[in-house]
Every structure is written in C-alpha cells, then in structure tokens.
Amino acid sequence: MEPLRIGIAGAGAIAQRNAREAATSGAAKIVGVFDVNQKVARDMASALKAPFFSTYEDLLRSQEVEAVLLSTPHHLHRPQTVQAANAGKHVLVEKPMANNLEEAEEMIRACRENGVKLTVNYSFRYLPKIRKAKELIDAGLLGTITGIQIISHQFKDPGYWTGARSNSPDNWRASREKCGGGYLIMNVCHIIDYIYFLTGLKASRIYSEYGTLGSPAEVEDIISISYRLDNGAIGSISASSIMRGTEQSEERIWGTNGSLILNGEGISFYSTRPIDGKRPGQLYTLKKFPEFSWTAEWVRQFAAAVRKADGQPEVSSREGWENLAFIRSAYASLERGAPLEIPKFETVR
Ligand SMILES: NC(=O)c1ccc[n+]([C@@H]2O[C@H](COP(=O)([O-])OP(=O)(O)OC[C@H]3O[C@@H](n4cnc5c(N)ncnc54)[C@H](O)[C@@H]3O)[C@@H](O)[C@H]2O)c1
C-alpha cells in the first residue's frame, strides 16, 4: 500500500508520539509540519526530515499532503478540520472530537461534503489488553451486561493545567472555552470510548456532579456520574485528578454470567461458562500482554480506509460524536439539575 502522506498540525506534547508512530507505522509518511510555535514545528520537521510550513494554509495548499494529523487544543479541532476538508484533505484529529456536538456535526458535514475521511484518536482500543477483553466478552463471558463501573483516580499537579508538562507550554487546558471541560473530556473520554467498544452498548440517560476543588483551572477536577445504558444496565464513574497517594484506574463490567476487571494488573475475569479454554466458576487473571504501538495501529487502520474506495475508518466520526454526546450530556445534567436523555446519532443531519 502506498503510504498515506500526512501533514502534522500541532507539534506539542502528544504530537511527539503521534508523529513518531505515524512515521514508523509503515503506512504513512510525514510530508509537512506546522505549529504556531515555530520552534517546536522546526524541531519536529528536522527530526523527521520533513518540510516545515509557517502557516496552516500553506500546509493545506501542499499537493504532497493527503491528510492532516491535528494534535492541537480542543477548540481548534472544528475550524482546522473544516478547513482541511475544504482543502480536500483527510483528517486524523486528536480526542475529544470537538468541544460540543454542534462543532462535531459541522466537522462531519464538511468531511462528507468534500468526500474526505475523518477519524478521532481513540486508539487505546488497540491496546492488546483491550483487544483480549473484547475477545472474551464477544465469546460470551458476561452474558447480558448489567453493570459497568469506572474508577479513574490520579493526581495532576498544578503544572499540568498551566502547560508545564508540554514542550510548548500554554494554559489552554485550564480554560473552559478552549478545553470544553476538565478531567472528563480530557482523560476519561478514552475509557468511555473503549467501554463502548467493548460492550457495544451506549448510554441513554445520565446525571453528574462535578467541581473544581483543588486545581488552578476553570474546568472540573472531580466528577461523579450515574448513567443508564440502552439495554437497561446501570453504570457509574468516579473520576478525579486530585487524588493524592492512592491513584487507581479500574473498569469493572459485569453481567448475567460473569464479570471482568481491567486495571494496571491486566484482566481478571470470572464466568459461569467455559471461556478461553478455562473452567467455569473460577477467577482468572491475565497479566502479560505484548508491547504494542497503539497510535501506529490507529494510523495504519486509517491509511487502509483511505486507500480503499469504500473504506471506513475503524474509529469513526460517529463514535467521536457519540463519545462527545455522553460527555456533554454529563456536564449539562448538573447545569440542568436533573438527569438528561443522551441524544442519539440518528438525529444528526
Ligand atoms: N491520545 C492521547 O493519549 C492524548 C494525550 C494527550 C493529549 N491528547 C490530545 O492532544 C491534543 C493536544 O494536546 P497536547 O497535550 O499535545 O497539548 P500541547 O499544549 O502540548 O500542544 C498543543 C500544540 O498545539 C499548538 N497550537 C496552538 N494553536 C495552534 C494552531 N492554531 N495551529 C497549529 N498549532 C497550534 C501549540 O503551539 C502546541 O504546540 C488535545 O486534543 C489533547 O486532548 C491526546
């Protein structure tokens, strides 16, 4: 397959990994780099032996560029995607897809109208641990899913919000207008993506409580969410970026036949059925998973979708929208002071 020729926009923290993994994926070639911070763009361009561009418009004008990889602050995802689509370029955009559903819909329309493809970087689903969990669930481990619990507790120091961890420091993460929200839209969005991917379920009703209780930011650093899934199952999220000392990240999914736990240890599972060659009625833990470049896999899958006339990105813009529908409804429920129905993608024109 001829490598997908990618122009990079945004050469900050995560772009280091994105560009490196795209370049080494075997499915893409970096043919341009742009960032408003010219120093980081020049550094990346020289490291990748790719041309440097001093404006986004110049990058989009380049005939060499077939697709753009946007690793920019959230409020720029919409305008930069629309501009790229209008220039006939495919788009790989970082998560979250955008800051709100209207923006995401504009991106979907612009890509559809210009006949270009769009994907969102929900690539954690390519982690071997997540793939194995999917295989177990698809084999009937859980039966009918009845409950999901997400715990995501970390400590993010003040510098996280002010850009101190980035090679291109800026405090956009602390701004509600630029970031769209806090720990939920920034971090927990990944977990929501792979929970949807693993279960095939979507949330239908949601309520949240959140606040900013320990960070120099306008956006939340602690959130608690209750939700109902479309099959009637019940889910909850406890997430915080101000948890000192006892950090924990764990997802539990359970059903009529069994349960599965994903955490830093690996996967633990129990089933009343024989699964994965194991006897029923016992708790098993799988700890060893191979190293795998999940971002490179995301790029490979997208490149393959572009090269095939009717190819569809594995991480679709619809899924990006549905992820955002969960997040925006969670935020809106507190503002409304009541549980909210989550909009369905079918309503999008
Ligand atoms: N997939 C992941 O695991 C992961 C991890 C971290 C961040 N992210 C996402 O990546 C995106 C960027 O986050 P980051 O941590 O790299 O932020 P960052 O602040 O380190 O980098 C953002 C870069 O965008 C540049 N920029 C700002 N305005 C621009 C413009 N108009 N055009 C081009 N470049 C511009 C900045 O100069 C900076 O270099 C966000 O969407 C974030 O949520 C994803």
Side-chain angles (χ1 to χ4, degrees), residues 185-198:
I185 197 167
M186 180 56 98
N187 300 86
V188 184
C189 62
H190 279 296
I191 305 174
I192 296 163
D193 175 70
Y194 65 69
I195 288 290
Y196 272 12
F197 170 73
L198 287 173

Side-chain angles (χ1 to χ4, degrees), residues 77-79 81-83 85-86 89 91 93 97-98 100-120 312 315-325 344-349:
H77 293 182
R78 177 199 65 81
T81 296
V82 171
Q83 228 181 316
N86 288 340
K89 314 293 184 188
V91 180
V93 65
M97 184 169 173
N100 60 53
L101 293 178
E102 294 71 27
E103 291 178 357
E105 287 159 27
E106 203 181 323
M107 292 159 70
I108 291 171
R109 275 195 299 274
C111 289
R112 194 193 297 140
E113 282 162 14
N114 287 288
V116 296
K117 293 172 186 174
L118 171 61
T119 186
V120 185
Q312 293 305 320
V315 185
S316 67
S317 52
R318 173 186 179 140
E319 290 171 299
W321 184 96
E322 287 173 334
N323 188 281
L324 201 50
K344 300 245 174 291
F345 187 75
E346 287 69 21
T347 61
V348 175
R349 293 282 159 259

